[in-house]
Amino acid sequence: MPGSEETVDDDALYVLTAVLLTPAQFPSVLGDDYPQACRSLALEPYAEGYGLVIGQDAEGARWTVVVDDVSLVAVAIASWDCGMEYDLSPDENSVVAALPGWPLELAVAAPGVPAPHDPVPEEGDRPPLTPPNTEEWGPAQRRMGADEVAQQWALWREQAGNGDTAGAAENADAADAAPGAAEDARPADAAPGAAPEADGPQAAEADGPQVPGADAAKAPEAVAEADGSGDGGEARLAEGLRRALREARAYAEAVPPPGRVRSAFAPGGARTIRADGPGWSMVARTDDMAFVLLDDEPCEVIPVERGPELEALLDVLEKVAVHPS
C-alpha cells in the first residue's frame, strides 16, 4: 500500500496519491473543462482520459506519472477511500509521461526520503508542474469555491434556507427577462487516494460553509432586479449573474467542451450539476436550488432560488452533461 514502504528503490516512485483526469472527473482547479485541464499538463485531451499518479522518487523529488490505465487508478482510489490497501503499480507500458512537479497542492510527504522538492532540471526538460495560484481570487479559486459548495451542500442549503442569503430573488427568472436571454490531501497515516478529489480539492474543515481563500464566504445582501437597479455593486453582481445564466442556457444550442458540464449522483435520486464557463461556476441540485460564483465577485456565493426557469435550465444542463461511467 502506498505510504507503507520504509525504503524506496532508486528508480521507484513513492506514491502519495492519485487522481483521475477524465471528461467526467478531473481536478476542476486545473481548468473549466477537460481539454483545458489537459492543456495545463501539456496532454492531449484523450477521450478515455488518464490517471495521475503523484509521488516522490528516492531523492524526494516531486513527480507526476501520467498513465492511460484509468481503470487501475480508479480501483486504487476507490480502495483507498474505503480504507483498504491497494498497491498502485502501473505497468510501464501504460505510462504516457513522467512529468516533474505536482499539479496539485499536497500536504503529505513520503517518509524516509528528503523533503519534497522539484527535480533538478536538465537541458531541454519542461518546467516542473506547479499547483495553480490560489492565494488571490481568480478562476482557480472560483472553481475551488464551487467544489466546496458541492461538497458542503447541506450546510450551504441550510444557510440559504435560514435566510442568511437574504434578498436572493428567483435570479433565474431575472436572467431570463434580460435582453438577449436564450431559451468530483490525506494525512500521511491515512489512505492516500483521497487527497484532492478528481472533481476538486479537499474540503476545508470549518464550523460553517466557507470558500477557499476567504475569511468567511459571503452571500449578497441583495440582488439587483433585472433592470439593473440598486447600487453599483448590486448592479454589477446582477449583471454577472445574468451573463452566467445566459451562457449556461446557451449550452443547449452549442454543446460545450467535454467536462464543462458534469452530472453526479445526489441523494434522493437527484443529480448534482457542476457547470463552468468563462468567469463563472455553478453548482446545483436538480431537485433544489443553485449557487453561482463569479471571477468578478471575489468570495461571493450567489444563491439562485428554485423556480420554473431554473428547473428548465437544469434540465438543459443535465442533458448536455458528462456522466461518470
Side-chain angles (χ1 to χ4, degrees):
M1 174 180 178
S4 62
E5 300 178 21
E6 296 183 357
T7 61
V8 181
D9 295 334
D10 289 344
D11 295 329
L13 180 74
Y14 194 102
V15 178
L16 296 175
T17 191
V19 294
L20 296 179
L21 180 63
T22 69
Q25 199 171 2
F26 60 90
S28 58
V29 68
L30 298 180
D32 282 330
D33 51 54
Y34 172 65
Q36 191 176 99
C38 287
R39 285 196 296 272
S40 73
L41 305 180
L43 297 172
E44 291 294 322
Y46 175 53
E48 299 301 320
Y50 305 94
L52 305 181
V53 182
I54 303 173
Q56 295 173 256
D57 65 16
E59 303 300 322
R62 304 181 184 98
W63 289 94
T64 299
V65 178
V66 184
V67 301
D68 60 15
D69 194 342
V70 176
S71 297
L72 176 69
V73 175
V75 169
I77 294 172
S79 299
W80 296 335
D81 286 347
C82 293
M84 301 169 58
E85 293 189 2
Y86 193 92
D87 181 14
L88 178 55
S89 301
D91 186 276
E92 63 180 13
N93 293 326
S94 70
V95 175
V96 176
L99 306 176
W102 293 342
L104 305 171
E105 195 72 45
L106 296 186
V108 294
V113 300
H117 62 274
D118 290 331
V120 177
E122 298 181 359
E123 186 176 355
D125 285 353
R126 59 162 292 158
L129 301 174
T130 57
N133 179 18
T134 57
E135 294 302 315
E136 297 181 359
W137 187 263
Q141 274 281 24
R142 177 249 303 165
R143 291 188 295 263
M144 289 174 65
D147 290 338
E148 293 290 344
V149 173
Q151 291 167 0
Q152 302 185 63
W153 179 268
L155 291 175
W156 281 99
R157 188 62 183 88
E158 181 180 6
Q159 178 173 301
N162 287 340
D164 292 338
T165 52
E170 192 190 336
N171 299 316
D173 283 335
D176 194 60
E183 255 337 72
D184 336 201
R186 293 280 187 174
D189 60 350
E197 294 183 354
D199 60 351
Q202 179 187 8
E205 294 183 3
D207 293 335
Q210 295 185 2
V211 168
D215 292 334
K218 299 181 292 182
E221 290 301 321
V223 175
E225 300 297 333
D227 62 2
S229 62
D231 64 26
E234 292 174 354
R236 184 184 67 247
L237 184 149
E239 176 53 34
L241 177 60
R242 288 197 299 269
R243 179 181 63 82
L245 296 177
R246 284 198 303 267
E247 292 180 3
R249 195 171 285 112
Y251 288 158
E253 303 299 328
V255 178
R260 183 69 65 88
V261 184
R262 288 168 280 164
S263 175
F265 294 107
R271 305 290 300 184
T272 295
I273 301 295
R274 181 73 166 78
D276 294 281
W280 59 269
S281 294
M282 174 190 291
V283 181
R285 290 276 178 91
T286 54
D287 63 347
D288 202 350
M289 62 185 299
F291 295 95
V292 174
L293 293 86
L294 305 171
D295 281 354
D296 294 336
E297 299 295 332
C299 306
E300 296 279 3
V301 179
I302 309 168
V304 180
E305 294 180 357
R306 185 168 181 81
E309 300 300 334
L310 180 60
E311 292 180 26
L313 173 59
L314 296 182
D315 184 61
V316 165
L317 294 178
E318 171 63 15
K319 286 182 171 64
V320 302
V322 178
H323 294 68
S325 56

